Amino acid sequence: MVFSLEFPPISHLLEWQEIWFAETPFAISKVVLINIAAAVIILGFMFYAGRKRALVPTGAQNFGEQIVDFVREGIVMQTMGPSGLAWVPFFTLMFLFIFLNNIVKVIPPILMPATGRLAGPLVLALVVYVIWNFLGIKHQGFFGYFKNALFPPGLPKALYILVTPIEFISTFLIRPFSHTVRLFANMMAGHILLATFAVLTASLWALQPYVVLVPLPFGMLVGVWLFEALASFLQAFIFTMLSAVYIGGAIHPEH
């Protein structure tokens, strides 16, 4: 008897079919449902946590305030300073939204990150892109903004022939692209690793002569599962931190 392992086509991991309204502009897929659920959970929790506004917070209010404090002190104050405190609600919502869309990939039966599809990270990165360019022009003026972005001070004028095109490409083209791909690629890579070791574990369990090998892929599955749970938090933190850096840099170019 010949025993073999069969891995599902990569399309099964990367393409998620619409659940409702397929083949229409209003198609709803599993990813869309995760996005909607994340938004509902965040808004519902925040309204619930803030309903009492006790001076000594407990329970949900205490947890909610810890999240806000983490974003304020760990992200906004570190990148934008006191002048960025007005952006705390925006970055708190961004951090929580990305985290929830990430963490579902380690929660059965979902086991798929909504951020593992390029459209989600791309939209978030484009929102940040529009905000930082708008604020840069608003605070520095149109010509001042592009002058500060494309002509770093202190360089010999001859070097601007080389530096200016590089600054334009890196700031206005590569930056939003890398902002998108960093989140998408990390989440998709983790999703594929989890699927790989899950398939190996199930296949070896089904192939009785090789059942003794099951602890090897299963141990890797558990290790990758724990690592991806941590990565879900880290990637949400990194994306939000970079967003704050970009927006803060547009508002205060001297920093």
Side-chain angles (χ1 to χ4, degrees), residues 33-52:
L33 290 178
I34 294 172
N35 291 153
I36 294 173
V40 171
I41 290 172
I42 294 169
L43 294 176
F45 172 76
M46 287 302 179
F47 278 116
Y48 178 76
R51 71 193 191 284
K52 293 183 178 179

Side-chain angles (χ1 to χ4, degrees), residues 42-43 46 64 67-73 75-77 80 82-98 131 240 244 247:
I42 294 169
L43 294 176
M46 287 302 179
I67 295 173
V68 174
D69 286 342
F70 168 75
V71 174
R72 181 176 62 238
E73 301 299 328
I75 296 178
V76 174
M77 291 298 294
M80 303 177 71
S83 62
L85 291 178
W87 288 91
V88 171
F90 173 78
F91 290 122
T92 301
L93 289 174
M94 174 180 286
F95 171 77
L96 290 175
F97 183 76
I98 296 174
I131 290 175
T240 308
I247 293 174

Side-chain angles (χ1 to χ4, degrees), residues 9 31 44 55 73 97 115 122 128 199 204 227 231 234 248:
V31 173
L55 293 178
E73 301 299 328
F97 183 76
T115 44
L122 177 60
V128 175
V199 169
L204 289 174
F227 177 80
L234 290 177

Side-chain angles (χ1 to χ4, degrees), residues 45-173:
F45 172 76
M46 287 302 179
F47 278 116
Y48 178 76
R51 71 193 191 284
K52 293 183 178 179
R53 301 182 182 181
L55 293 178
V56 181
T58 58
Q61 182 183 346
N62 183 48
F63 183 55
E65 290 189 7
Q66 287 181 357
I67 295 173
V68 174
D69 286 342
F70 168 75
V71 174
R72 181 176 62 238
E73 301 299 328
I75 296 178
V76 174
M77 291 298 294
Q78 298 298 321
T79 57
M80 303 177 71
S83 62
L85 291 178
W87 288 91
V88 171
F90 173 78
F91 290 122
T92 301
L93 289 174
M94 174 180 286
F95 171 77
L96 290 175
F97 183 76
I98 296 174
F99 174 72
L100 289 180
N101 278 278
N102 290 349
I103 198 65
V104 291
K105 71 176 176 178
V106 298
I107 300 176
I110 303 174
L111 299 175
M112 180 187 71
T115 44
R117 195 163 187 173
L118 186 62
L122 177 60
V123 169
L124 292 172
L126 288 178
V127 168
V128 175
Y129 180 79
V130 170
I131 290 175
W132 102 56
N133 282 288
F134 171 79
L135 291 176
I137 294 173
K138 177 182 178 181
H139 287 269
Q140 303 175 49
F142 183 85
F143 293 105
Y145 172 62
F146 286 100
K147 178 183 177 181
N148 291 330
L150 302 179
F151 297 90
L155 293 178
K157 293 183 179 180
L159 285 180
Y160 287 130
I161 298 175
L162 176 64
V163 171
T164 298
I166 294 175
E167 289 293 331
F168 176 80
I169 294 173
S170 64
T171 301
F172 297 102
L173 299 180

